[in-house]
Amino acid sequence: QLLNLCAATPEDHFYTHALNFCDGYLVGAYDSYEAAHNMRVGPKLVCFHDTPPSRKDAFNMFVEWAKAHPQYMQKKPVNTEFRFLSEKYPCKP
């Protein structure tokens, strides 16, 4: 369901609401992860090696990745988000 919200187009009746929910969910989950990591809770899973993508680009990359990996769509959205992020932006030892 999160993928449907993040993939909304301007033609969708609830386009603005869908994108706002997508934005809030994805950014909120990432901010929670960053806060936990700053408190040294758990390993670092995501490392932006250069300049991080814009929010819009990150959402578009997530949507494309999710469409290409339907096997993860039955998992919790936060797990799917971090699977994407850790594959796209892995931390190197």
Side-chain angles (χ1 to χ4, degrees), residues 15-41:
Y15 173 71
T16 301
H17 299 293
L19 290 188
N20 286 340
F21 186 92
C22 172
D23 179 78
Y25 186 91
L26 295 176
V27 171
Y30 185 79
D31 285 349
S32 295
Y33 157 76
E34 281 290 308
H37 179 71
N38 288 338
M39 294 174 27
R40 309 282 190 250
V41 177

Side-chain angles (χ1 to χ4, degrees), residues 26 29-34 45-46 62 77-87:
L26 295 176
Y30 185 79
D31 285 349
S32 295
Y33 157 76
E34 281 290 308
L45 302 173
V46 179
F62 172 70
V78 69
N79 293 346
T80 303
E81 175 182 358
F82 280 93
R83 183 177 297 272
F84 157 72
L85 287 170
S86 64
E87 284 184 17

Side-chain angles (χ1 to χ4, degrees), residues 49-90:
H49 304 291
D50 296 318
T51 305
S54 70
R55 190 175 283 189
K56 181 179 179 180
D57 288 345
F59 293 164
N60 290 337
M61 287 187 290
F62 172 70
V63 168
E64 291 305 312
W65 180 91
K67 287 179 180 178
H69 296 85
Q71 68 270 29
Y72 302 125
M73 293 305 101
Q74 299 307 313
K75 305 290 183 187
K76 291 181 180 182
V78 69
N79 293 346
T80 303
E81 175 182 358
F82 280 93
R83 183 177 297 272
F84 157 72
L85 287 170
S86 64
E87 284 184 17
K88 184 73 175 167
Y89 302 102

